[in-house]
Amino acid sequence: MDQGTVLGETEIHVRTSLDGDGAGHDWWHVDRVRRLARRLAAAEAADPFVVELAVLLHDVADWKFHEGDGEVGPRQAREWLAGLAVEPRVIDHVTEIVGGLSFKGARVPRPMRTIEGRVVQDADRLDAIGAIGVARAFAYGGWKGQPIFDPGLAPILHDSAAAYWSGTTSTVTHFDEKLLLLKDLMNTDTARRLAEERHRFLEMFLARFHAEWDGTA
Ligand code: ADP
Ligand code: NI
């Protein structure tokens, strides 16, 4: 099977699996991340085939929706690619990226070994900030049933995936626990530049949010 066919089959598989997800992991998230990742891959001379496969498969079985089980996603990616008789070297690489991607707390380092992994991680993180990031955070918060904001909740910089997974938060608190930290966690120069602008938008949004919350605007 040639690379174009593998990508096409994988796209159909992913679109079907993610259809109807209301928690910010819909197909359009994958589609946006793919556009960003293609751009970053070209700038960083990363292998576009590995990058694109990892993007397509990265959220099919997110650990947050499997009781915090981080093994389900990589395992499903591996099984899918093996079914298409993809080269073992590519399967290992894509599986490694899918397994290492997800944010698991401010104090939990998630280093990526290869440039392909760094590109996918940057693209996924860029889609968590800016205007899209704001929209996704509130979509996720609504799905979780958490309040939009609770001034009594202090942000926590979690030092384990378990603490991050089981913590109580509000969506605006999540900005301090994750979204505002992402700009400094970007791996590539291109992503860092895009992140600066998206980060500024988060700050504008928060300033306005708090002014309205306090009744001063
Ligand atoms: P990733 O796995 O891509 O690192 P996540 O899957 O953790 O990111 O999150 C998906 C989206 O939901 C992101 O935009 C993220 O910021 C948002 N999100 C995750 N946890 C929360 C939360 N507790 N409150 C609000 N938004 C959240
Ligand atoms: Ni994602």
Side-chain angles (χ1 to χ4, degrees), residues 121-137:
Q121 191 173 52
D122 280 358
D124 192 36
R125 287 174 169 176
L126 281 169
D127 203 55
I129 55 179
I132 296 276
V134 171
R136 291 183 68 218

Side-chain angles (χ1 to χ4, degrees), residues 29 58-59 124:
H29 162 61
H58 87 277
D59 270 337
D124 192 36

Side-chain angles (χ1 to χ4, degrees), residues 8 13 19-21 23 36 39 42 72-73 77 83 92 101 105 112 122 146 151-152 171-172 178 180 200 205 209 215:
H13 163 65
D19 206 25
D21 182 311
L36 282 168
R39 180 172 167 191
V72 184
D92 288 346
L101 199 61
M112 280 289 177
D122 280 358
Q146 72 193 17
T171 299
V172 166
K178 173 182 174 187
L180 292 169
R200 273 198 297 279
F205 172 82
F209 183 96

Side-chain angles (χ1 to χ4, degrees), residues 25 62 64 102-103 124 128 136-137 140 146 169 174 178-179:
H25 277 101
D62 191 290
K64 285 192 301 321
S102 207
F103 184 89
D124 192 36
R136 291 183 68 218
Y140 182 92
Q146 72 193 17
T169 194
H174 179 71
K178 173 182 174 187
L179 306 189

